[in-house]
Amino acid sequence: MKLYAPETREIDCSQTRKNVAKWFDVEYSKYQRLASLPLLPNSVLSLAPARSTAHANTAEDRTVSRANAKQVLEFVNAIIDTLDERSQKIIRSRHIQKLLSWQVEEIVNLSRPQLYVQDCKACAQFAQTMDMTAGTNLAAYKETSDNER
């Protein structure tokens, strides 16, 4: 097993939070939709163009894609479970359930400025773990000058 040195640069929490929010909006939501699709017999539905390859939309391909999406969702939930309780609540309520800020504030009992700080921290932890385990590039880092190195 190869271990990689931990990142030593200072994390840009604001940009990382934006990256994580976008990832949940775009990627996570795709996996949610795909995982929730019902299984259909092969002869019932094919939206693939007539000229596509013969196996492009087979029932087996759809089943494998659906199973993969479910595994991704389970993996992401496992990563969220490694966070402290408050961070879990923030990620789930704000980024997965898409609750409004005031609703999240009530759930975690924080003021809006406190919620922003805690959301940034939760997103940073989530992003770093996703980057290390899944190869994403969610964590953003502050630029360092040559004098700081």
Side-chain angles (χ1 to χ4, degrees):
M1 174 166 77
K2 184 176 181 177
L3 294 177
Y4 296 95
E7 183 60 60
T8 58
R9 296 177 292 170
E10 185 179 357
I11 196 156
D12 181 340
C13 282
S14 180
Q15 185 58 51
T16 298
R17 182 181 168 279
K18 289 176 187 175
N19 293 349
V20 168
K22 183 177 178 182
W23 187 85
F24 275 107
D25 287 344
V26 177
E27 298 301 321
Y28 188 84
S29 64
K30 285 182 199 176
Y31 291 117
Q32 281 184 314
R33 289 190 306 273
L34 184 57
S36 65
L37 285 175
L39 292 176
L40 299 172
N42 193 27
S43 60
V44 173
L45 175 68
S46 178
L47 300 176
R51 295 184 184 139
S52 68
T53 60
H55 64 36
N57 202 20
T58 65
E60 294 84 12
D61 290 340
R62 291 189 303 268
T63 301
V64 168
S65 294
R66 187 171 172 255
N68 180 55
K70 285 184 176 188
Q71 283 183 322
V72 169
L73 294 176
E74 288 172 8
F75 178 76
V76 170
N77 279 321
I79 288 176
I80 294 170
D81 287 342
T82 68
L83 305 176
D84 63 81
E85 187 177 344
R86 179 177 276 168
S87 294
Q88 289 178 37
K89 287 179 181 179
I90 291 171
I91 294 287
R92 288 196 169 104
S93 61
R94 186 167 186 89
H95 299 288
I96 294 176
Q97 298 172 342
K98 308 290 185 212
L99 298 181
L100 299 173
S101 292
W102 69 268
Q103 294 170 309
V104 180
E105 291 166 21
E106 286 185 4
I107 290 170
V108 293
N109 196 27
L110 293 173
S111 67
R112 184 157 296 181
Q114 291 170 325
L115 175 60
Y116 180 81
V117 170
Q118 290 302 311
D119 188 21
C120 283
K121 287 180 181 180
C123 287
Q125 292 171 355
F126 176 80
Q128 288 174 320
T129 307
M130 283 289 287
D131 290 356
M132 289 187 298
T133 57
T136 58
N137 289 309
L138 297 175
Y141 297 92
K142 294 182 178 178
E143 295 296 322
T144 57
S145 67
D146 288 335
N147 294 340
E148 295 177 23
R149 290 183 192 174

